[in-house]
Amino acid sequence: EMIYCRDTELLAVSLRPYYMRRELSYAIPVYVYVPHREDAETTCDVIHATIARLQSQHPHAFIAISGRTGQLIYTNVKDAYTATPLPPMKKPDHNLVYLQPQYKPRARTQPITTCSFRKSPGAETTLRDCFESTEWSVLQVPYGEDIEGLTHCMTIYMNFCMDGVVPVKPVPCSALDY
């Protein structure tokens, strides 16, 4: 969006960067140039009306407002970026600023844990042999009609067999792997 008034020149560009915080939909840098400082009230009204319209059209957008010198950048997200000055381009009155995002992706902020996986080429046949050699009636008789007790007993026995037969391999994983 471009606005040219007698007292204000304003350029707003809507961007959708490849890497962006999930809660932000767009990045809208707004460049404001005020050639004459005679009517500050009109200039403020033009800037305010434009930014208010952009915020109502894109309520989840990151908006950065900069002026001619680029020394001050106003944003609608507190502490979103740290600014680092870069060497000037051709003319000394143009400053470049590198905005380094302070946002840390969720995958980098959560600790890495260890998950255990049971996988072995010959483990399936060995586990099958273990189950085939089991006297299941010995485990069933004490519980009679108590299905919950029998289920608990069978689960414990099967886990016991798996612990003895199938090796456990620890693998680093994060919460986003699930």
Side-chain angles (χ1 to χ4, degrees):
E1 180 172 337
M2 289 192 279
I3 296 176
Y4 293 104
C5 297
R6 192 184 109 232
D7 299 321
T8 307
E9 294 179 14
L10 188 138
L11 173 67
V13 181
S14 177
L15 304 172
R16 181 68 181 138
Y18 185 73
Y19 291 107
M20 190 161 196
R21 293 170 65 164
R22 287 183 180 181
E23 55 269 9
L24 299 175
S25 59
Y26 293 97
I28 304 176
V30 179
Y31 177 76
V32 179
Y33 175 65
V34 182
H36 310 289
R37 296 180 184 234
E38 296 171 2
D39 192 5
E41 189 173 325
T42 304
T43 301
C44 287
D45 289 343
V46 169
I47 295 170
H48 180 267
T50 304
I51 299 303
R53 186 173 61 254
L54 288 172
Q55 284 183 325
S56 62
Q57 289 173 350
H58 307 285
H60 300 290
F62 171 75
I63 299 176
I65 306 166
S66 177
R68 179 178 175 202
T69 61
Q71 292 176 354
L72 295 175
I73 296 176
Y74 300 97
T75 66
N76 60 338
V77 179
K78 185 178 180 180
D79 297 328
Y81 293 87
T82 55
T84 306
L86 295 174
M89 291 175 63
K90 293 180 181 178
K91 296 181 180 181
D93 65 338
H94 290 82
N95 295 330
L96 293 178
V97 178
Y98 176 67
L99 296 176
Q100 175 68 35
Q102 294 302 305
Y103 176 72
K104 298 279 189 252
R106 191 171 170 207
R108 293 185 190 167
T109 58
Q110 294 185 349
I112 294 178
T113 58
T114 304
C115 302
S116 301
F117 291 100
R118 298 175 179 272
K119 192 169 184 180
S120 176
E124 186 177 333
T125 56
T126 310
L127 190 59
R128 184 175 292 132
D129 291 342
C130 179
F131 290 150
E132 286 176 357
S133 65
T134 301
E135 287 290 332
W136 295 103
S137 61
V138 173
L139 297 172
Q140 293 173 346
V141 170
Y143 294 98
E145 298 291 321
D146 182 14
I147 191 75
E148 289 183 26
L150 180 62
T151 304
H152 182 70
C153 176
M154 295 289 183
T155 303
I156 290 174
Y157 181 72
M158 288 181 191
N159 287 335
F160 169 75
C161 290
M162 285 181 57
D163 290 341
V165 173
V166 183
V168 176
K169 181 180 178 185
V171 176
C173 60
S174 68
L176 296 177
D177 292 337
Y178 295 106

PDB file of all heavy atoms in Angstrom, residues 106-115 117 171-178:
ATOM      1  N   ARG A 106       9.674 -24.130  19.179  1.00  0.00           N
ATOM      2  CA  ARG A 106       9.300 -24.996  20.292  1.00  0.00           C
ATOM      3  C   ARG A 106      10.211 -26.216  20.399  1.00  0.00           C
ATOM      4  O   ARG A 106      10.519 -26.680  21.483  1.00  0.00           O
ATOM      5  CB  ARG A 106       7.851 -25.433  20.097  1.00  0.00           C
ATOM      6  CG  ARG A 106       7.279 -26.097  21.284  1.00  0.00           C
ATOM      7  CD  ARG A 106       5.795 -26.311  21.100  1.00  0.00           C
ATOM      8  NE  ARG A 106       5.324 -27.156  22.171  1.00  0.00           N
ATOM      9  CZ  ARG A 106       4.297 -27.934  22.090  1.00  0.00           C
ATOM     10  NH1 ARG A 106       3.582 -27.966  20.998  1.00  0.00           N
ATOM     11  NH2 ARG A 106       3.935 -28.684  23.092  1.00  0.00           N
ATOM     12  N   ALA A 107      10.667 -26.709  19.260  1.00  0.00           N
ATOM     13  CA  ALA A 107      11.528 -27.895  19.265  1.00  0.00           C
ATOM     14  C   ALA A 107      12.855 -27.609  19.933  1.00  0.00           C
ATOM     15  O   ALA A 107      13.477 -28.495  20.503  1.00  0.00           O
ATOM     16  CB  ALA A 107      11.761 -28.375  17.838  1.00  0.00           C
ATOM     17  N   ARG A 108      13.327 -26.363  19.885  1.00  0.00           N
ATOM     18  CA  ARG A 108      14.612 -26.024  20.499  1.00  0.00           C
ATOM     19  C   ARG A 108      14.499 -25.681  21.973  1.00  0.00           C
ATOM     20  O   ARG A 108      15.501 -25.629  22.670  1.00  0.00           O
ATOM     21  CB  ARG A 108      15.229 -24.845  19.762  1.00  0.00           C
ATOM     22  CG  ARG A 108      15.632 -25.187  18.362  1.00  0.00           C
ATOM     23  CD  ARG A 108      16.336 -24.022  17.739  1.00  0.00           C
ATOM     24  NE  ARG A 108      16.527 -24.249  16.326  1.00  0.00           N
ATOM     25  CZ  ARG A 108      16.873 -23.335  15.480  1.00  0.00           C
ATOM     26  NH1 ARG A 108      17.080 -22.097  15.890  1.00  0.00           N
ATOM     27  NH2 ARG A 108      17.020 -23.616  14.210  1.00  0.00           N
ATOM     28  N   THR A 109      13.301 -25.393  22.455  1.00  0.00           N
ATOM     29  CA  THR A 109      13.150 -24.986  23.845  1.00  0.00           C
ATOM     30  C   THR A 109      12.839 -26.150  24.770  1.00  0.00           C
ATOM     31  O   THR A 109      12.994 -26.027  25.974  1.00  0.00           O
ATOM     32  CB  THR A 109      12.033 -23.941  23.988  1.00  0.00           C
ATOM     33  OG1 THR A 109      10.813 -24.490  23.499  1.00  0.00           O
ATOM     34  CG2 THR A 109      12.370 -22.687  23.216  1.00  0.00           C
ATOM     35  N   GLN A 110      12.396 -27.262  24.232  1.00  0.00           N
ATOM     36  CA  GLN A 110      12.054 -28.402  25.068  1.00  0.00           C
ATOM     37  C   GLN A 110      13.247 -29.343  25.174  1.00  0.00           C
ATOM     38  O   GLN A 110      13.987 -29.530  24.207  1.00  0.00           O
ATOM     39  CB  GLN A 110      10.847 -29.129  24.500  1.00  0.00           C
ATOM     40  CG  GLN A 110       9.607 -28.272  24.557  1.00  0.00           C
ATOM     41  CD  GLN A 110       8.381 -29.026  24.104  1.00  0.00           C
ATOM     42  OE1 GLN A 110       8.464 -30.115  23.563  1.00  0.00           O
ATOM     43  NE2 GLN A 110       7.228 -28.433  24.337  1.00  0.00           N
ATOM     44  N   PRO A 111      13.440 -29.938  26.341  1.00  0.00           N
ATOM     45  CA  PRO A 111      14.591 -30.819  26.519  1.00  0.00           C
ATOM     46  C   PRO A 111      14.466 -32.100  25.697  1.00  0.00           C
ATOM     47  O   PRO A 111      13.371 -32.577  25.414  1.00  0.00           O
ATOM     48  CB  PRO A 111      14.565 -31.139  28.019  1.00  0.00           C
ATOM     49  CG  PRO A 111      13.139 -30.958  28.413  1.00  0.00           C
ATOM     50  CD  PRO A 111      12.604 -29.864  27.526  1.00  0.00           C
ATOM     51  N   ILE A 112      15.612 -32.619  25.320  1.00  0.00           N
ATOM     52  CA  ILE A 112      15.646 -33.881  24.581  1.00  0.00           C
ATOM     53  C   ILE A 112      15.637 -35.013  25.606  1.00  0.00           C
ATOM     54  O   ILE A 112      16.419 -35.021  26.552  1.00  0.00           O
ATOM     55  CB  ILE A 112      16.890 -33.952  23.694  1.00  0.00           C
ATOM     56  CG1 ILE A 112      16.787 -32.895  22.608  1.00  0.00           C
ATOM     57  CG2 ILE A 112      17.045 -35.330  23.086  1.00  0.00           C
ATOM     58  CD1 ILE A 112      17.967 -32.822  21.689  1.00  0.00           C
ATOM     59  N   THR A 113      14.750 -35.949  25.410  1.00  0.00           N
ATOM     60  CA  THR A 113      14.630 -37.088  26.311  1.00  0.00           C
ATOM     61  C   THR A 113      15.070 -38.357  25.582  1.00  0.00           C
ATOM     62  O   THR A 113      15.397 -38.331  24.403  1.00  0.00           O
ATOM     63  CB  THR A 113      13.179 -37.249  26.803  1.00  0.00           C
ATOM     64  OG1 THR A 113      12.335 -37.416  25.668  1.00  0.00           O
ATOM     65  CG2 THR A 113      12.733 -36.034  27.590  1.00  0.00           C
ATOM     66  N   THR A 114      15.053 -39.455  26.287  1.00  0.00           N
ATOM     67  CA  THR A 114      15.427 -40.733  25.692  1.00  0.00           C
ATOM     68  C   THR A 114      14.199 -41.626  25.627  1.00  0.00           C
ATOM     69  O   THR A 114      13.513 -41.828  26.621  1.00  0.00           O
ATOM     70  CB  THR A 114      16.517 -41.413  26.537  1.00  0.00           C
ATOM     71  OG1 THR A 114      17.613 -40.519  26.646  1.00  0.00           O
ATOM     72  CG2 THR A 114      16.991 -42.678  25.889  1.00  0.00           C
ATOM     73  N   CYS A 115      13.928 -42.136  24.444  1.00  0.00           N
ATOM     74  CA  CYS A 115      12.833 -43.069  24.245  1.00  0.00           C
ATOM     75  C   CYS A 115      13.430 -44.454  24.051  1.00  0.00           C
ATOM     76  O   CYS A 115      14.514 -44.603  23.508  1.00  0.00           O
ATOM     77  CB  CYS A 115      12.016 -42.710  23.009  1.00  0.00           C
ATOM     78  SG  CYS A 115      11.340 -41.047  23.063  1.00  0.00           S
ATOM     79  N   PHE A 117      13.115 -48.156  22.345  1.00  0.00           N
ATOM     80  CA  PHE A 117      12.468 -48.915  21.288  1.00  0.00           C
ATOM     81  C   PHE A 117      12.928 -50.354  21.348  1.00  0.00           C
ATOM     82  O   PHE A 117      14.096 -50.633  21.570  1.00  0.00           O
ATOM     83  CB  PHE A 117      12.805 -48.324  19.906  1.00  0.00           C
ATOM     84  CG  PHE A 117      12.167 -46.993  19.691  1.00  0.00           C
ATOM     85  CD1 PHE A 117      12.888 -45.827  19.857  1.00  0.00           C
ATOM     86  CD2 PHE A 117      10.840 -46.910  19.320  1.00  0.00           C
ATOM     87  CE1 PHE A 117      12.299 -44.601  19.656  1.00  0.00           C
ATOM     88  CE2 PHE A 117      10.244 -45.678  19.123  1.00  0.00           C
ATOM     89  CZ  PHE A 117      10.974 -44.525  19.289  1.00  0.00           C
ATOM     90  N   VAL A 171      16.967 -44.179  22.260  1.00  0.00           N
ATOM     91  CA  VAL A 171      17.110 -43.253  21.139  1.00  0.00           C
ATOM     92  C   VAL A 171      16.719 -41.856  21.625  1.00  0.00           C
ATOM     93  O   VAL A 171      15.685 -41.703  22.274  1.00  0.00           O
ATOM     94  CB  VAL A 171      16.181 -43.678  19.972  1.00  0.00           C
ATOM     95  CG1 VAL A 171      16.246 -42.686  18.834  1.00  0.00           C
ATOM     96  CG2 VAL A 171      16.529 -45.064  19.502  1.00  0.00           C
ATOM     97  N   PRO A 172      17.533 -40.817  21.325  1.00  0.00           N
ATOM     98  CA  PRO A 172      17.134 -39.461  21.731  1.00  0.00           C
ATOM     99  C   PRO A 172      15.924 -39.001  20.929  1.00  0.00           C
ATOM    100  O   PRO A 172      15.841 -39.222  19.722  1.00  0.00           O
ATOM    101  CB  PRO A 172      18.354 -38.609  21.411  1.00  0.00           C
ATOM    102  CG  PRO A 172      19.182 -39.390  20.480  1.00  0.00           C
ATOM    103  CD  PRO A 172      18.831 -40.836  20.667  1.00  0.00           C
ATOM    104  N   CYS A 173      14.972 -38.377  21.607  1.00  0.00           N
ATOM    105  CA  CYS A 173      13.777 -37.887  20.938  1.00  0.00           C
ATOM    106  C   CYS A 173      13.270 -36.655  21.699  1.00  0.00           C
ATOM    107  O   CYS A 173      13.632 -36.428  22.844  1.00  0.00           O
ATOM    108  CB  CYS A 173      12.694 -38.954  20.849  1.00  0.00           C
ATOM    109  SG  CYS A 173      12.153 -39.564  22.438  1.00  0.00           S
ATOM    110  N   SER A 174      12.446 -35.868  21.032  1.00  0.00           N
ATOM    111  CA  SER A 174      11.858 -34.703  21.672  1.00  0.00           C
ATOM    112  C   SER A 174      10.347 -34.874  21.726  1.00  0.00           C
ATOM    113  O   SER A 174       9.799 -35.814  21.163  1.00  0.00           O
ATOM    114  CB  SER A 174      12.226 -33.420  20.903  1.00  0.00           C
ATOM    115  OG  SER A 174      11.591 -33.416  19.652  1.00  0.00           O
ATOM    116  N   ALA A 175       9.671 -33.913  22.356  1.00  0.00           N
ATOM    117  CA  ALA A 175       8.222 -34.015  22.490  1.00  0.00           C
ATOM    118  C   ALA A 175       7.522 -33.894  21.140  1.00  0.00           C
ATOM    119  O   ALA A 175       6.396 -34.325  20.987  1.00  0.00           O
ATOM    120  CB  ALA A 175       7.724 -32.920  23.440  1.00  0.00           C
ATOM    121  N   LEU A 176       8.174 -33.282  20.149  1.00  0.00           N
ATOM    122  CA  LEU A 176       7.542 -33.122  18.838  1.00  0.00           C
ATOM    123  C   LEU A 176       7.576 -34.392  18.019  1.00  0.00           C
ATOM    124  O   LEU A 176       6.967 -34.479  16.958  1.00  0.00           O
ATOM    125  CB  LEU A 176       8.231 -31.998  18.065  1.00  0.00           C
ATOM    126  CG  LEU A 176       8.107 -30.633  18.690  1.00  0.00           C
ATOM    127  CD1 LEU A 176       8.897 -29.620  17.876  1.00  0.00           C
ATOM    128  CD2 LEU A 176       6.671 -30.206  18.773  1.00  0.00           C
ATOM    129  N   ASP A 177       8.302 -35.424  18.470  1.00  0.00           N
ATOM    130  CA  ASP A 177       8.381 -36.684  17.728  1.00  0.00           C
ATOM    131  C   ASP A 177       7.120 -37.525  17.868  1.00  0.00           C
ATOM    132  O   ASP A 177       6.936 -38.481  17.127  1.00  0.00           O
ATOM    133  CB  ASP A 177       9.584 -37.515  18.195  1.00  0.00           C
ATOM    134  CG  ASP A 177      10.900 -36.869  17.801  1.00  0.00           C
ATOM    135  OD1 ASP A 177      10.900 -36.068  16.834  1.00  0.00           O
ATOM    136  OD2 ASP A 177      11.913 -37.146  18.436  1.00  0.00           O
ATOM    137  N   TYR A 178       6.270 -37.193  18.819  1.00  0.00           N
ATOM    138  CA  TYR A 178       5.088 -38.023  19.054  1.00  0.00           C
ATOM    139  C   TYR A 178       3.918 -37.540  18.262  1.00  0.00           C
ATOM    140  O   TYR A 178       3.658 -36.448  18.049  1.00  0.00           O
ATOM    141  CB  TYR A 178       4.738 -38.057  20.546  1.00  0.00           C
ATOM    142  CG  TYR A 178       5.812 -38.734  21.351  1.00  0.00           C
ATOM    143  CD1 TYR A 178       6.670 -37.992  22.154  1.00  0.00           C
ATOM    144  CD2 TYR A 178       5.984 -40.098  21.279  1.00  0.00           C
ATOM    145  CE1 TYR A 178       7.661 -38.612  22.878  1.00  0.00           C
ATOM    146  CE2 TYR A 178       6.978 -40.717  22.010  1.00  0.00           C
ATOM    147  CZ  TYR A 178       7.804 -39.968  22.805  1.00  0.00           C
ATOM    148  OH  TYR A 178       8.780 -40.591  23.512  1.00  0.00           O
TER     149      TYR A 178
END
